[in-house]
Amino acid sequence: MTRVRESVIAGARGLFLSVIMLAGSITLFVLSVLSIAFITLGIGVFTTPLVLTGVRKWADLRRAQAGAWSDVHIPRPYRPFPADLRSGVTGQVERTSLLLKDPATWRDLQWLLVDMTAGFVTVIFAPALLLYPLYGYVLALGVWEPIYDAGGGEWYGFIHVTSQTDANMAALLGTALGVVGIFSSPAILRAHFLLTRSLLAPTVSMRERELARRVDRLTETRHDAVDSSAAELRRIERDLHDGAQARLVAMGMDLGTIEAMIEKNPAKAKELIAKARQNSGEALTELRDLVRGIHPPVLAERGLGDAVKALALRLPVRTDVDVELLGRADEPVEAAAYFAVSEALTNTIKHAGADRVWVDIHHAEGMLRIAVTDNGKGGASIGAGSGLSGIERRLGTFDGVLAVSSPAGGPTMVTMEIPCELS
């Protein structure tokens, strides 16, 4: 019964695909060709991005169906748009140019052409092998007679039905086809998606370019990490020199003075002792703050979730932290994630004008995902010199990514993803 159910489901899905692929693929292919042809007239500059975006969404739908229905996984090969892509007519021209320069765009158009022809022929067999046998039974139930009286008989496969015996043979042939359909419909549907993957998946050269792009990005972020580390060391040295070190030197001088005058002027010595105690307390506080800035103790002892919760308690606005982590990431990843969240929260307090912040931290599919959302005024963007650019560089060291959604008027959502495993 399980096989029959799977075959019926595969047949239904094949019938669904055979109907929508003709309407969708033919329409999108014609619109794409016309839109690209109209670029020379200026109209295509405005229509091509819309049409090709629709093609990509149509292809993404087929990718999702391939993975969910036949466990055929098809990666997305599209090149990302630059973050500083302009708006207006200039932006439309640039967007059109980027789309047409992407090899994946032309592979999508090839797929549309194949999808409406070979793809349709492939997938239609899945429902046909399950539905066509029913017609054989209909003929065997006596429907062959009025058909024969009206026009001289009916062909069922290779059988010319002109008698009840022929109709019974048609039913027998239908039974054989139904058995074939029960055993082959899931495989036929999978074959259709494998054909789709051969056209929509990245080619070897595209994968090589993607790997080269990732290597370049990691090289760039590694240089940024080295520069950031050097700047951090200089900051620590400066903080020690201007803060704790200066207070310790002053405290040493006070102790020398106290030693010289403790017998001659006890009252003054007592005053200097109180001052030295104050300097020692302030130096200790500064050292603790400095150490906390390098690696918070709560992060080392209790992990990322508790460290972010402790960070949220010190904020002047209400901050809700939701953590779902079934383990801990490596220390460098935890540290990068913690300081990225800290920087994002700092930006929110300084610039967003929000009175509510939400932090969501969870791990799924080998990816640590963090979302920082506020109800502020919005308008945040990743640009040169901004705190978000620093977060992007920090995450890039671990092959992580940063995405920002911040329309004018809010809300703002900063999403961070770092590939890692939990232990």
Side-chain angles (χ1 to χ4, degrees):
M1 291 301 296
T2 301
R3 180 177 291 276
V4 173
R5 185 174 68 253
E6 291 177 351
S7 299
V8 171
I9 292 174
R13 288 169 173 171
L15 182 61
F16 172 75
L17 285 175
S18 62
V19 173
I20 68 166
M21 73 170 52
L22 286 180
S25 295
I26 292 177
T27 301
L28 287 172
F29 183 78
V30 172
L31 289 177
S32 298
V33 172
L34 291 176
S35 184
I36 293 173
F38 287 158
I39 290 178
T40 56
L41 301 178
I43 302 174
V45 172
F46 299 96
T47 60
T48 299
L50 294 175
V51 174
L52 294 183
T53 299
V55 171
R56 291 188 174 190
K57 291 182 178 179
W58 182 247
D60 286 340
L61 175 61
R62 194 64 57 85
R63 289 185 178 94
Q65 292 168 339
W69 293 355
S70 294
D71 198 29
V72 176
H73 301 287
I74 308 175
R76 296 184 84 250
Y78 307 119
R79 296 175 181 174
F81 289 126
D84 58 348
L85 190 62
R86 290 168 289 185
S87 58
V89 177
T90 304
Q92 287 293 104
V93 173
E94 187 178 359
R95 190 182 300 272
T96 302
S97 176
L98 291 172
L99 285 168
L100 295 180
K101 288 179 181 178
D102 191 343
T105 297
W106 301 102
R107 289 179 63 83
D108 283 351
L109 296 180
Q110 293 175 10
W111 166 70
L112 290 176
L113 188 60
V114 173
D115 193 50
M116 69 179 75
T117 52
F120 173 80
V121 173
T122 302
V123 79
I124 195 63
F125 277 101
L129 288 174
L130 297 177
L131 296 177
Y132 191 56
L134 299 179
Y135 186 50
Y137 300 140
V138 170
L139 292 174
L141 290 175
V143 176
W144 69 271
E145 291 187 72
I147 297 176
Y148 177 75
D149 293 339
E154 171 77 343
W155 284 93
Y156 182 83
F158 55 84
I159 300 174
H160 190 205
V161 181
T162 58
S163 65
Q164 185 62 45
T165 301
D166 295 336
N168 293 337
M169 293 296 295
L172 184 61
L173 176 59
T175 301
L177 292 175
V179 172
V180 173
I182 289 173
F183 282 91
S184 64
S185 288
I188 292 173
L189 187 65
R190 180 176 175 83
H192 168 77
F193 287 127
L194 290 175
L195 174 64
T196 301
R197 185 174 67 179
S198 68
L199 293 165
L200 290 183
T203 61
V204 174
S205 59
M206 293 171 69
R207 287 195 293 268
E208 289 176 349
R209 285 196 296 270
E210 176 64 18
L211 288 174
R213 186 187 67 80
R214 290 185 63 191
V215 169
D216 292 341
R217 181 169 182 268
L218 287 173
T219 301
E220 179 184 353
T221 55
R222 184 189 64 184
H223 292 158
D224 290 337
V226 172
D227 294 340
S228 298
S229 297
E232 187 69 11
L233 287 174
R234 289 193 297 270
R235 182 190 68 80
I236 293 172
E237 181 182 4
R238 184 176 62 253
D239 289 347
L240 285 173
H241 182 271
D242 298 340
Q245 178 177 323
R247 295 189 183 279
L248 290 174
V249 170
M251 187 174 65
M253 295 175 62
D254 289 341
L255 290 175
T257 304
I258 292 169
E259 184 180 9
M261 64 187 312
I262 191 169
E263 294 181 356
K264 298 179 180 179
N265 192 348
K268 184 64 175 178
K270 186 176 181 179
E271 180 182 340
L272 292 175
I273 290 174
K275 182 179 177 182
R277 184 186 298 113
Q278 179 183 356
N279 284 336
S280 67
E282 292 176 352
L284 182 60
T285 300
E286 290 182 356
L287 287 173
R288 285 174 176 170
D289 291 340
L290 184 62
V291 171
R292 188 179 294 112
I294 298 172
H295 196 83
V298 67
L299 178 62
E301 296 171 2
R302 304 184 61 179
L304 177 62
D306 287 340
V308 172
K309 290 178 180 179
L311 180 64
L313 292 175
R314 300 197 298 268
L315 297 178
V317 300
R318 179 179 174 183
T319 304
D320 298 325
V321 180
D322 183 24
V323 180
E324 293 184 13
L325 297 177
L326 301 178
R328 295 189 58 176
D330 293 338
E331 288 187 9
V333 173
E334 282 193 336
Y338 173 83
F339 287 112
V341 173
S342 177
E343 182 68 24
L345 292 173
T346 300
N347 286 343
T348 298
I349 301 303
K350 287 183 177 179
H351 308 296
D355 57 15
R356 188 80 181 273
V357 181
W358 297 266
V359 181
D360 178 73
I361 304 174
H362 68 278
H363 184 274
E365 301 176 353
M367 196 75 67
L368 177 64
R369 293 185 172 92
I370 304 172
V372 179
T373 309
D374 67 70
N375 62 350
K377 60 185 179 181
S381 63
I382 303 175
S386 72
L388 293 175
S389 297
I391 296 175
E392 187 177 41
R393 290 193 299 270
R394 185 186 293 273
L395 298 180
T397 307
F398 300 90
D399 205 15
V401 295
L402 173 72
V404 178
S405 173
S406 183
T412 296
M413 174 179 284
V414 178
T415 305
M416 296 166 265
E417 292 188 351
I418 306 176
C420 67
E421 297 297 333
L422 301 184
S423 59

